Amino acid sequence: MDKKILFKKYNKKRILITGASGLVGSGLINFFNELIFKNEISIEIYAITRNKKRFSNKKIKSFNLNLVKINTNFLPKFDYIFHCAGYGQPKKFLQNKIDNIFLNTSVLYNLSKKLRKNGKIFYMSSSELYSGCNKTYPNENDIGNTTPSHPRSSYIESKRTGEVVINTLREVGINAVSLRLSLLYGPGTKIDDNRVINEFIISALQKKKIKMLDAGKDIRHYIYIDDAIKMIMNITINCKESVYNIGGKEMTSIFEIAKLISKYTNSVLIKPKIQKNNKLKGAPSKVGVSIKRYENEFGKFKMKSFSEGLKENILWYEKTLKNVKN
């Protein structure tokens, strides 16, 4: 990313980040913090969270709000809106189906009304839209084949409808873009995040063992949070399309992830004696996306290796868990 272009695009701008305490939201906050401190850029940031998280930077105005239940009319107009609010954890979005539907549809539409003239809104969609697609690396022109009766339909269909909202906004001249995120990981994850990498790391650090529930044959392509934020920021500066995949390149199995975490934490890996399928209902066996559209437009992207990203994630968890105890 060219710092001069970043300065020109974001200097003296007002930005809204919803879901600011989540992995993507906090990643964006960290990015803008660094931009402010290193380049003396003037940015006004509004951060909306569902918890009482506070930010050290005085230029960040934090609000503890439930976007599903409150009216956002009190908010000012923004140059950039990043709608990251939602339940990314499968267990949580399955427990909060109605809230999830509203966050991805009516809340998204209402937030778009808070854009200044020539403002931009970026919607964090999901690779879950490809559920049921036969391609190993689906591109932005592909789609899944799930139905409204699918166990994860409240998430999949609301994300799909969120993209309809974005495309409809574009039809009336609003600069709106959907970003299909695929398996981000790294520092900034909530401690109670129960997705597989986080559960393995916490178990390894606290119990010195990782107990697998099945054979771990499912395949995943992860992308480190810093790399995902770089891709997102490049797209926000100048993009030609209405939707982009944001995902990793390395392929790994759940079992390989467990082995790496076990190795880096000197913990014991316990395999199940009986090979049962214990994954959540509707969970795909393979998750990965094509990022050719992004690379064709912005150039080849060199990412942090999964092993290196995992090491940094483990170190972050070690420090964070110590702070929680103290």
Side-chain angles (χ1 to χ4, degrees):
M1 290 176 288
D2 189 315
K3 290 184 178 179
K4 290 183 179 179
I5 295 176
L6 280 172
F7 187 91
K8 185 178 179 180
K9 289 286 184 180
Y10 285 100
N11 191 36
K12 298 182 180 179
K13 296 296 191 293
R14 183 184 291 149
I15 300 168
L16 173 65
I17 300 173
T18 68
S21 61
L23 183 57
V24 180
S26 61
L28 288 168
I29 292 287
N30 291 337
F31 177 86
F32 285 118
N33 263 331
E34 188 174 347
L35 203 62
I36 291 167
F37 291 134
K38 286 188 176 181
N39 300 281
E40 298 181 353
I41 193 170
S42 177
I43 303 175
E44 185 181 2
I45 300 173
Y46 282 62
I48 294 179
T49 72
R50 281 290 302 275
N51 55 36
K52 294 181 179 180
K53 182 172 181 177
R54 291 293 179 265
F55 305 94
S56 58
N57 193 323
K58 292 181 180 179
K59 294 188 177 182
I60 299 176
K61 298 180 180 180
S62 179
F63 297 87
N64 174 215
L65 301 172
N66 183 339
L67 286 168
V68 174
K69 296 181 179 179
I70 64 104
N71 191 313
T72 56
N73 286 341
F74 75 95
L75 291 171
K77 296 282 187 175
F78 297 93
D79 299 287
Y80 293 90
I81 295 176
F82 296 89
H83 186 38
C84 311
Y87 300 93
Q89 303 174 53
K91 286 183 181 179
K92 285 195 173 182
F93 67 60
L94 290 173
Q95 292 169 356
N96 298 277
K97 293 181 179 181
I98 297 299
D99 278 10
N100 210 63
I101 291 169
F102 281 111
L103 281 169
N104 289 310
T105 54
S106 59
V107 171
L108 171 63
Y109 174 67
N110 288 333
L111 287 173
S112 72
K113 296 176 183 178
K114 307 307 295 184
L115 280 175
R116 283 174 170 166
K117 186 178 180 181
N118 299 321
K120 297 181 180 181
I121 185 167
F122 297 92
Y123 168 57
M124 303 304 146
S125 186
S126 171
S127 62
E128 289 265 350
L129 270 69
Y130 299 124
S131 294
C133 180
N134 292 325
K135 284 189 177 181
T136 303
Y137 301 101
N139 62 51
E140 292 84 351
N141 294 321
D142 296 317
I143 201 65
N145 60 11
T146 56
T147 69
S149 62
H150 188 277
R152 297 157 86 111
S153 63
S154 61
Y155 187 76
I156 296 169
E157 299 301 329
S158 64
K159 287 293 186 184
R160 196 193 310 270
T161 306
E163 290 199 14
V164 174
V165 172
I166 291 296
N167 290 336
T168 304
L169 292 173
R170 290 176 66 88
E171 289 176 3
V172 295
I174 296 173
N175 199 329
V177 179
S178 298
L179 305 173
R180 293 177 182 169
L181 308 180
S182 182
L183 301 183
L184 281 59
Y185 76 103
T189 307
K190 293 179 180 177
I191 295 300
D192 64 348
D193 192 314
N194 53 30
R195 281 172 282 194
V196 65
I197 288 181
N198 313 306
E199 282 198 335
F200 284 170
I201 292 176
I202 289 178
S203 180
L205 293 175
Q206 293 184 332
K207 301 176 182 177
K208 301 308 294 182
K209 65 181 180 182
I210 300 171
K211 188 176 181 180
M212 297 195 66
L213 299 177
D214 56 33
K217 293 181 180 180
D218 288 350
I219 301 298
R220 300 288 185 263
H221 293 73
Y222 285 94
I223 178 170
Y224 192 66
I225 181 61
D226 290 356
D227 289 331
I229 295 299
K230 288 175 184 176
M231 291 179 72
I232 290 170
M233 294 313 300
N234 278 334
I235 291 168
T236 67
I237 291 168
N238 185 29
C239 62
K240 300 175 182 177
E241 305 289 347
S242 63
V243 59
Y244 293 85
N245 285 336
I246 304 290
K249 297 179 180 181
E250 284 186 69
M251 180 175 70
T252 186
S253 68
I254 301 299
F255 177 64
E256 288 299 321
I257 293 170
K259 280 205 308 182
L260 281 174
I261 294 172
S262 173
K263 175 183 175 182
Y264 297 151
T265 58
N266 293 315
S267 57
V268 178
L269 177 58
I270 303 171
K271 301 177 185 177
K273 292 180 180 179
I274 301 174
Q275 301 296 323
K276 292 183 178 180
N277 183 359
N278 289 294
K279 66 184 182 181
L280 288 173
K281 285 185 178 181
S285 58
K286 290 184 180 180
V287 179
V289 295
S290 167
I291 60 168
K292 285 185 179 179
R293 171 174 289 184
Y294 174 88
E295 292 195 320
N296 286 340
E297 190 169 333
F298 300 99
K300 292 292 181 180
F301 190 73
K302 185 178 180 181
M303 298 180 177
K304 186 184 292 291
S305 70
F306 181 69
S307 60
E308 286 303 310
L310 203 54
K311 288 178 184 177
E312 291 187 16
N313 202 15
I314 291 168
L315 287 173
W316 178 83
Y317 261 109
E318 287 178 338
K319 293 178 182 177
T320 303
L321 290 172
K322 285 180 182 178
N323 291 334
V324 170
K325 285 182 180 180
N326 297 331

